[in-house]
Amino acid sequence: MRISELSARSGVAIPTIKYYLREGMLHQGEQTAATRAEYDDSHLRRLRLIRALLEVGRLPVAAIKTVIAAVEDETLPMHHMLGIAHYALGPVVEPEQDEEWRTARAEVDHLLGELGWTVAEDAPTRDELAQTLVRMRQLGLHVDLAPYVEAVGKLVTEVEMDTIPFDGPRDAAVEALVLGTVLYGKAFDTLRRMAQESESARRLGPR
Amino acid sequence: MRISELSARSGVAIPTIKYYLREGMLHQGEQTAATRAEYDDSHLRRLRLIRALLEVGRLPVAAIKTVIAAVEDETLPMHHMLGIAHYALGPVVEPEQDEEWRTARAEVDHLLGELGWTVAEDAPTRDELAQTLVRMRQLGLHVDLAPYVEAVGKLVTEVEMDTIPFDGPRDAAVEALVLGTVLYGKAFDTLRRMAQESESARRLGPR
């Protein structure tokens, strides 16, 4: 297809497509004449991925380039590539290196060991959870993660990971991971607040 | 206690306490001399609530004033008061009034009816979930909320609502609601991303 059709089908404006081409985020089409190139489904798929990272994941362009480099590096195993996209979606956590923080981080490591979950030693989620634990304790919350661990384990193992097409094109798998992680995360958070309202009504009498 | 002790025990600087007093967010102490006032536990509790709304809930001052007005209006039933705090924590959603959106909103209403959840007709969470559904469909996700509904219902009913002291002081109940909603929401989201990494490792082989 020509660039005009690629634009119409992807919903991405032509100048934006040209920008992605210049920046190397989108691979070049097949040159069929001096000023004409042909694009195919792989370009459509890449534009979908860029939109997902930009609009749903809200990643900055620099992070999107990192994810795309991982998608294009075919020597990188699928799990590693998904990890790069996944880490880019989380917040940037600066661990406070004090005693309280180190204790919380050790607890997180211990919890993951007990669960037998395979999470990299340097995964940012370890620092992130440690920071939330510190915050909870400082504010006097009695912390019990067990029911959350149980709910999340079931959800991810039995439902979420089945929606990712591990055996298809690499950009489609990353796109599915981004959409699933962000949008289902949002839906879950909203449902949780609805359930809280409903349970509050049940206990206190609805108004 | 004097204002200096109130400051030391709450961790809130004296000029900030004076600002809250001027703005009516903190009730006046008992005047014991022309330039001296006595404060008590109710002031400490209120400062804790303000900090929770500000630092954990990240609410703007205008929204905090609305929540505090609800806490102080003793004629407002507990459930209604908690609802005001709860709604303030969610994002502001501007429904797009098109056909697609109305269909999604009708589905949300239908889902809540089927579940028998007591959620107000004008709860912002209804619009929020409808918007996420629209987004998911536009991006071609096959949407199945059932496993999320099941997980969330159990979590909220059996665990979360038990952490709120409904029969204590009104500001303590709101504080617990804010801390629980935001911090456990954050912990849950992090655990979910950890479980995703682990399940991806299990399916694709760990690195």
Side-chain angles (χ1 to χ4, degrees):
Chain A
M1 72 191 93
R2 306 264 200 86
I3 195 167
S4 52
E5 190 185 341
L6 181 64
S7 169
R9 287 180 60 187
S10 64
V12 178
I14 292 178
T16 309
I17 293 178
K18 288 185 173 167
Y19 167 75
Y20 294 152
L21 286 166
R22 275 198 309 279
E23 293 288 316
M25 294 157 73
L26 181 65
H27 44 295
Q28 300 295 328
E30 197 192 338
Q31 209 72 27
T32 54
T35 59
R36 186 178 294 181
E38 274 292 313
Y39 300 92
D40 59 26
D41 281 352
S42 71
H43 296 90
L44 259 182
R45 209 155 44 225
R46 175 61 52 82
L47 286 174
R48 281 182 60 114
L49 172 60
I50 294 173
R51 285 191 65 178
L53 292 166
L54 200 65
E55 295 171 20
V56 178
R58 297 193 182 281
L59 296 196
V61 168
I64 293 178
K65 286 184 179 174
T66 307
V67 173
I68 284 177
V71 171
E72 290 188 340
D73 179 358
E74 301 270 351
T75 66
L76 216 55
M78 182 75 115
H79 174 61
H80 197 129
M81 177 194 77
L82 292 176
I84 288 171
H86 207 220
Y87 289 176
L89 290 173
V92 177
V93 173
E94 280 300 330
E96 303 156 44
Q97 297 289 8
D98 60 6
E99 193 52 36
E100 204 174 2
W101 191 88
R102 275 189 296 271
T103 307
R105 172 60 208 254
E107 275 174 47
V108 169
D109 295 344
H110 181 74
L111 173 70
L112 290 173
E114 294 248 297
L115 291 169
W117 287 7
T118 311
V119 174
E121 276 304 317
D122 60 349
T125 41
R126 287 181 186 251
D127 289 349
E128 202 183 317
L129 186 57
Q131 200 178 54
T132 304
L133 287 181
V134 168
R135 204 69 211 279
M136 287 171 146
R137 300 247 163 79
Q138 283 170 346
L139 291 162
L141 280 189
H142 165 75
V143 182
D144 179 12
L145 293 181
Y148 292 83
V149 166
E150 195 194 333
V152 94
K154 202 166 127 71
L155 209 54
V156 169
T157 316
E158 296 176 11
V159 184
E160 296 199 328
M161 296 307 278
D162 284 334
T163 65
I164 297 182
F166 289 115
D167 45 6
R170 290 162 69 91
D171 18 24
V174 175
E175 186 202 344
L177 179 87
V178 172
L179 297 184
T181 300
V182 177
L183 290 176
Y184 274 104
K186 208 166 154 35
F188 187 88
D189 183 64
T190 311
L191 285 167
R192 179 167 164 260
R193 281 181 286 120
M194 286 174 160
Q196 288 171 340
E197 174 172 345
S198 178
E199 183 65 10
S200 166
R202 200 183 64 76
R203 296 194 184 201
L204 299 170
R207 300 291 304 171
Chain B
M1 72 191 93
R2 305 266 201 85
I3 195 167
S4 53
E5 190 185 341
L6 181 64
S7 169
R9 286 180 60 188
S10 64
V12 178
I14 292 179
T16 309
I17 294 179
K18 288 185 173 166
Y19 167 75
Y20 294 152
L21 287 165
R22 275 199 310 277
E23 293 288 316
M25 294 157 73
L26 181 66
H27 44 294
Q28 300 295 329
E30 196 192 339
Q31 210 70 27
T32 54
T35 59
R36 185 178 293 180
E38 274 291 314
Y39 300 92
D40 59 26
D41 281 351
S42 70
H43 295 91
L44 259 181
R45 211 156 41 225
R46 175 59 53 83
L47 288 175
R48 281 181 59 113
L49 172 60
I50 295 173
R51 285 191 66 178
L53 291 167
L54 200 64
E55 296 170 20
V56 179
R58 299 194 181 279
L59 296 196
V61 168
I64 294 178
K65 285 184 179 173
T66 307
V67 173
I68 284 176
V71 170
E72 289 188 341
D73 180 358
E74 301 270 351
T75 67
L76 215 56
M78 181 73 114
H79 174 62
H80 197 129
M81 178 194 76
L82 291 176
I84 289 172
H86 208 219
Y87 289 175
L89 290 174
V92 178
V93 174
E94 280 300 331
E96 303 155 46
Q97 297 290 7
D98 61 6
E99 193 52 35
E100 204 174 3
W101 192 88
R102 275 189 295 272
T103 306
R105 173 60 207 255
E107 276 174 44
V108 169
D109 295 345
H110 180 75
L111 172 71
L112 291 173
E114 293 247 298
L115 291 169
W117 287 7
T118 311
V119 174
E121 276 303 317
D122 61 348
T125 41
R126 286 181 187 250
D127 288 348
E128 203 182 315
L129 186 58
Q131 201 179 53
T132 304
L133 287 181
V134 168
R135 204 69 212 277
M136 287 170 145
R137 300 247 163 79
Q138 284 171 345
L139 292 162
L141 281 188
H142 165 76
V143 182
D144 178 13
L145 293 181
Y148 292 83
V149 165
E150 195 195 333
V152 92
K154 201 165 128 74
L155 209 55
V156 169
T157 316
E158 295 176 12
V159 183
E160 296 198 329
M161 295 309 278
D162 284 335
T163 65
I164 297 181
F166 289 114
D167 45 5
R170 290 162 69 90
D171 18 25
V174 174
E175 187 203 342
L177 179 86
V178 172
L179 296 184
T181 299
V182 177
L183 291 176
Y184 274 104
K186 207 166 153 36
F188 188 87
D189 184 64
T190 311
L191 285 167
R192 178 167 165 261
R193 281 182 287 120
M194 285 173 160
Q196 287 171 341
E197 174 172 345
S198 178
E199 183 64 10
S200 165
R202 201 182 62 75
R203 296 194 185 200
L204 299 171
R207 300 286 308 170

